[in-house]
Amino acid sequence: MSAPVIDRAGRARDAVAREAWGEAYALLHARDRHPDEALTPDDLGALSDAAWWSGHLDESVAARLRAHAAHVAAGDHRGAGLAAWWLHYEYAGLGRPAVAAGWLHRARHHLDGLPPCPEQSFLAWADAEEATARGDGPAALAATGRMTRLAERSGSPDLLALSRQAASAALLAQGRRAEGLALLDEAMCAAEAGELSGVFTGWLYCLALTQCMEAADFGRAVEWTRTAMEWCAAFGTGDNPFRGVCRAHRVEVLDLLGEWTAAEEEARRACREVPVDCLEAAAAAYCAAGDVQRRQGRLDEAARSYAHAHELGRLPQPGLALLRLAQGRADAAAAGLRLALACQDARHGPLARARLLAASTEVSLAVGAVRDAADAAAELDALAGDVPLLRALAGTAAGAVALAEDPGAAAPALRRALDLWLRLRVPYEAAQTRMLLAAADRAAGDEEAARLELAFARDGFEGLGAGPDARRAAALLSAAARRRLPGGLTAREAEVLRLVAGGATNKGVAGALVISEHTVARHLNNIFAKLGVSTRSAATAYAYAHGLI
């Protein structure tokens, strides 16, 4: 080879080593078109990587096919097996599962008979994911164990971090939450510290963010989403295929945090950025944008966002059902949720089902199906365990059902739920819970507490731009002000005064209210002091004059 040719080859390989993928793509693409510069099998693999990072997916597949053929021709089974696995991965992303399955089978054909080698880690990863999908926990853990041993033998930080993430996913699928999250944290530390290559770092961020949200670990989701976006902004030049996917996860976090303007803008950006092999991320972003628009009263825009998500293959529930409820189509809302609950399986994680059950509780109560609401709330309570986000959802649902069945029993569950929402810093759900708590307080006769909750709820909704909810809270607050008792009387004192004005003795009042006569006497002393009267007859006259009778 001439010196200029060698120089171009060296520059291309240097760009690959630096993960300067735009530069590497340009150099390798130019070399590939030059008649005197035949690319080696490794160069073709690098060209495929660079094309993938640069958004040229068809070229990536074409180069990978050539790399596989070149490795086969050279008798390199490890190289051919790795190229075949990558083709399986790329075809799966492009929505061609049959072709993907064929290349995975070919990867096994190349690698299964060889002594232990790093490339076999990818086969073990595929085995673990397949076992998890069919619910075979022991097989999934066995596969991740093989993956870890191969990774440790290879000394590759990339493979070791990925094996820990895979083991974390298998443990979480079996409900072994503490063990799974501990392994996930260990894998993510390697990514955050910059110890991994770009593609493995991107994989880990995308997989970890999905795991955190599915497992309803909101604290980890907030933390790792922020770190992922910082990495996406800093890594490489030009396109980063992981940026749109990570941004779609960020939208879900911003939505829960009540940062709705930012969430909607990030959703638009995510939909522009996600590559064609990750359209489910765009669908999730459309759903989150629809949720913001629905709660702000922009129902037509929300309907369009949910339609876009549906077009991309995602059932936009429970958002679509809650939109139908807001449109006055409660029966359609209930039918949509029944279908979504029937179609969902364990792969979607506990948070997805919890949201469906919470919405089902709300819609069932709206149509008067209290028994159905109670059943949904009971399933949600059983699902929640000790996970704060799920416990908050379950407490709100249980309190809403109690308001319909036994209002006096609603306040404890609602207060626990409100405390969790406030600690999680999730403002919209906190304001919703305050609305329910105001109703519970009013049912218990504590009008002052009810007015406080309504005022806090109104302020919370107004800060978020949740117009319909803010107007409802303001209307209830105005009605509560009109119901305010004269003379500074409490609700219990007003009850005592009404009974006294009706001719009841202290003993009669005590029996009617199930309190002691001593308590009645104390209430009467307070009533006389507040009204500036000294006799029962004067208090009775006040009650009639101020409409308390």
Side-chain angles (χ1 to χ4, degrees):
M1 297 175 67
S2 66
V5 171
I6 294 172
D7 180 60
R8 282 194 294 269
R11 285 166 53 206
R13 289 165 187 161
D14 176 67
V16 170
R18 290 184 285 110
E19 296 189 299
W21 294 114
E23 179 185 348
Y25 173 75
L27 289 167
L28 288 165
H29 192 265
R31 284 188 60 210
D32 193 39
R33 298 181 63 180
H34 198 285
D36 297 329
E37 298 189 39
L39 298 185
T40 67
D42 287 340
D43 287 338
L44 287 167
L47 174 59
S48 178
D49 292 340
W52 184 83
W53 278 99
S54 302
H56 305 289
L57 300 186
D58 290 342
E59 289 184 49
S60 176
V61 171
R64 193 82 65 188
L65 288 167
R66 291 169 60 199
H68 174 263
H71 283 300
V72 170
D76 178 5
H77 286 287
R78 287 177 57 182
L82 183 60
W85 185 88
W86 270 106
L87 286 163
H88 146 74
Y89 175 82
E90 292 194 77
Y91 277 119
L94 292 169
R96 300 184 63 184
V99 179
W103 280 106
L104 181 59
H105 180 75
R106 186 169 287 191
R108 294 189 193 282
H109 173 75
H110 287 302
L111 297 171
D112 274 347
L114 299 181
C117 60
E119 291 81 4
Q120 291 167 347
S121 294
F122 294 99
L123 298 184
W125 189 24
D127 291 340
E129 292 194 322
E130 289 174 358
T132 298
R134 65 175 183 267
D136 189 344
L141 286 175
T144 60
R146 291 197 306 275
M147 188 178 178
T148 300
R149 290 190 295 273
L150 288 164
E152 290 172 340
R153 184 187 182 101
S154 74
S156 165
D158 283 342
L159 291 175
L160 188 57
L162 188 62
S163 71
R164 286 172 177 151
Q165 183 282 323
S168 167
L171 289 166
L172 287 171
Q174 294 185 53
R176 295 164 63 178
R177 185 180 179 86
E179 297 170 80
L181 291 174
L183 270 180
L184 181 63
D185 287 344
E186 189 177 355
M188 293 310 298
C189 284
E192 186 181 25
E195 299 170 0
L196 311 180
S197 66
V199 69
F200 280 81
T201 301
W203 271 344
L204 283 172
Y205 276 128
C206 291
L207 292 167
L209 296 179
T210 299
Q211 281 177 264
C212 289
M213 288 306 294
E214 288 180 348
D217 193 318
F218 188 51
R220 280 183 171 83
V222 172
E223 187 172 349
W224 291 125
T225 300
R226 181 179 61 251
T227 307
M229 291 310 300
E230 290 171 356
W231 173 77
C232 286
F235 182 78
T237 57
D239 293 332
N240 180 331
F242 297 107
R243 184 181 292 117
V245 180
C246 291
R247 198 182 302 281
H249 287 294
R250 175 172 163 79
V251 172
E252 294 184 84
V253 169
L254 291 172
D255 177 26
L256 280 170
L257 290 174
E259 298 177 29
W260 288 356
T261 300
E264 194 171 0
E265 174 56 32
E266 290 287 83
R268 284 193 287 268
R269 294 182 67 183
C271 292
R272 292 194 298 268
E273 290 174 348
V274 295
V276 296
D277 57 344
C278 295
L279 292 181
E280 67 276 7
Y286 276 122
C287 278
D291 290 342
V292 170
Q293 293 153 354
R294 169 178 54 79
R295 289 175 298 199
Q296 290 185 331
R298 299 151 55 195
L299 302 188
D300 290 342
E301 293 176 69
R304 287 194 290 272
S305 293
Y306 292 141
H308 285 311
H310 212 156
E311 182 182 15
L312 293 175
R314 182 186 178 109
L315 194 62
Q317 296 290 13
L320 182 59
L322 295 173
L323 173 64
R324 296 292 178 246
L325 185 62
Q327 293 170 330
R329 299 170 57 190
D331 290 341
L337 286 171
R338 283 195 299 271
L339 177 62
L341 284 164
C343 291
Q344 194 184 55
D345 57 39
R347 288 176 301 166
H348 294 93
L351 180 58
R353 188 159 190 86
R355 283 172 160 164
L356 289 173
L357 290 168
S360 181
T361 302
E362 180 178 349
V363 171
S364 295
L365 289 173
V367 298
V370 178
R371 186 67 262 158
D372 290 344
D375 290 343
E379 183 183 342
L380 177 51
D381 183 70
L383 176 68
D386 60 355
V387 181
L389 183 57
L390 301 184
R391 279 257 58 91
L393 282 168
T396 302
V401 172
L403 274 175
E405 293 182 328
D406 180 10
L414 291 169
R415 289 197 184 281
R416 288 192 296 270
L418 176 60
D419 179 63
L420 287 169
W421 289 126
L422 293 174
R423 282 197 279 136
L424 289 165
R425 291 182 291 177
V426 177
Y428 180 76
E429 283 73 8
Q432 281 189 312
T433 305
R434 286 190 187 278
M435 295 286 283
L436 296 170
L437 191 51
D441 289 338
R442 189 180 305 117
D446 193 344
E447 288 287 345
E448 186 60 32
R451 284 193 293 273
L452 283 172
E453 297 297 353
L454 286 172
F456 289 136
R458 177 202 59 196
D459 294 346
F461 288 137
E462 287 179 349
L464 291 165
D469 290 299
R471 289 190 290 273
R472 184 163 60 93
L476 290 171
L477 192 58
S478 178
R482 290 194 297 272
R483 289 195 303 271
R484 188 169 296 167
L485 296 168
L489 296 175
T490 67
R492 176 61 86 179
E493 290 166 349
E495 288 180 296
V496 171
L497 180 55
R498 290 188 189 101
L499 291 168
V500 168
T505 63
N506 283 17
K507 183 177 181 180
V509 173
L513 299 180
V514 197
I515 56 178
S516 69
E517 290 186 55
H518 174 76
T519 301
V520 174
R522 180 168 53 80
H523 282 315
L524 278 174
N525 286 334
N526 291 337
I527 292 167
F528 289 171
K530 288 180 178 181
L531 303 186
V533 300
S534 57
T535 65
R536 298 169 82 95
S537 59
T540 299
Y542 184 96
Y544 276 102
H546 290 83
L548 292 174
I549 305 301

